[in-house]
Amino acid sequence: MADGFFTGRKPGLAMFLNAGDPPLPVLRDAVFAMDAQGVNCLELAVPFPNSFTDGPVVRRSATRALAEGVGLDETLEFVDSVAGRLRHMKIVLLADWSHTVKPRPMSWFLDRVAARSVDGLLLHGLPPLLREEYHDLAAERAVPVVTTCYPNSAREVIADAAARAAAYVYLVARYGRSGTRTDQDFTGLRDTVAALHATANTPVAVGFGVRDRDDVAAIGELGADAAVIGSAAVARVEHALAERLDPVAELTRFVEGLSQPRP
């Protein structure tokens, strides 16, 4: 099994944020603070508009980041600026195929990623007909990819996600848009987690609807290697910006709450 992503705490923690929200100088401090707290992975998105898989919280975050003028170049430069000072945290670049990759050849994009201090790549919205090319080109450039699947994906899709992952497999807990959960029971994912572990050479992370310490604990009880937290973290940033609070302090308190034992 590939190591380096989710070592130490069990389950590990991966946090999603848009590059540029909060603004990059503040985000830099937030990254160092989360690293000091033992957060294993940052899924750092190149901001893109109108995501079909995200709810209003993440969409508003992307809009703020785009207004800051953050794109692929700025995001990659930011990763290079912080990576050498991180003690534990790995950074996975999340990019949208239509907004970031499609305007240029796939090889151009992967060359750019491979030349930077990115630890993994998650490509959002990749058309199925391009998956073979993407995985081949990424492997040629030694870019570790994050693959995705759902608990109700066809068996061959789950098997393919396990086989092709070089960073980790992201098991998306349910269909829908991020941040729109009303209630969530993660216990139904147990069989899918076991099936992925049976053949994958990488960790398995579960996300989508993870909000608090109880959710993180439930994912750990499934045997998953990590929990991915997105909208709940982004909402803390939004709250801080709206109330003129310190986003770094808000995120720090949020991570502390995820780590506190149950009463």
Side-chain angles (χ1 to χ4, degrees):
M1 176 179 291
D3 57 15
F5 272 92
F6 305 114
T7 58
R9 66 194 306 157
K10 297 297 180 184
L13 282 179
M15 308 289 286
F16 167 91
L17 292 172
N18 275 299
D21 187 53
L24 293 179
V26 181
L27 179 62
R28 179 185 176 90
D29 292 339
V31 168
F32 293 145
M34 289 189 291
D35 178 50
Q37 289 179 287
V39 173
N40 304 96
C41 178
L42 173 64
E43 290 185 355
L44 185 65
V46 180
F48 60 97
N50 306 318
S51 171
F52 61 86
T53 59
D54 289 313
V57 171
V58 174
R59 285 187 172 205
R60 289 193 299 266
S61 170
T63 298
R64 290 191 296 271
L66 290 167
E68 289 283 325
V70 177
L72 177 62
D73 289 344
E74 291 78 13
T75 303
L76 290 174
E77 289 170 6
F78 175 82
V79 173
D80 276 356
S81 75
V82 300
R85 293 179 55 186
L86 298 177
R87 293 179 293 172
H88 310 288
M89 183 187 286
K90 305 296 182 183
I91 299 180
V92 165
L93 184 77
L94 189 156
D96 179 67
W97 180 78
S98 293
H99 182 74
T100 303
V101 183
K102 183 180 178 181
R104 296 179 182 269
M106 183 87 72
S107 58
W108 177 91
F109 169 72
L110 286 168
D111 283 342
R112 299 294 298 277
V113 173
R116 300 300 187 124
S117 304
V118 171
D119 298 297
L121 175 64
L122 199 169
L123 196 52
H124 174 269
L126 178 68
L129 290 176
L130 296 179
R131 286 177 186 166
E132 196 74 29
E133 176 190 7
Y134 165 61
H135 286 291
D136 287 347
L137 291 174
E140 288 173 6
R141 290 157 177 77
V143 174
V145 299
V146 176
T147 60
T148 61
C149 63
Y150 292 85
N152 55 350
S153 294
R155 289 184 179 179
E156 58 269 23
V157 173
I158 292 173
D160 186 68
R164 292 186 181 275
Y168 54 89
V169 182
Y170 183 173
L171 175 59
V172 184
R174 61 177 177 83
Y175 286 105
R177 288 185 171 179
S178 65
T180 58
R181 164 189 150 174
T182 55
D183 197 10
Q184 182 97 13
D185 181 4
F186 294 100
T187 57
L189 306 177
R190 189 179 303 276
D191 288 347
T192 309
V193 170
L196 289 166
H197 272 148
T199 56
N201 291 316
T202 61
V204 176
V206 175
F208 219 84
V210 183
R211 298 186 299 194
D212 53 34
R213 66 185 182 192
D214 290 341
D215 291 338
V216 172
I219 287 170
E221 289 167 5
L222 296 175
D225 300 289
V228 183
I229 301 175
S231 295
V234 175
R236 291 300 185 101
V237 173
E238 182 171 64
H239 171 74
L241 295 174
E243 298 298 324
R244 299 180 181 272
L245 302 173
D246 179 8
V248 179
E250 283 292 304
L251 284 171
T252 298
R253 283 192 290 269
F254 179 61
V255 174
E256 286 175 353
L258 296 173
S259 305
Q260 290 172 356
R262 294 180 181 182

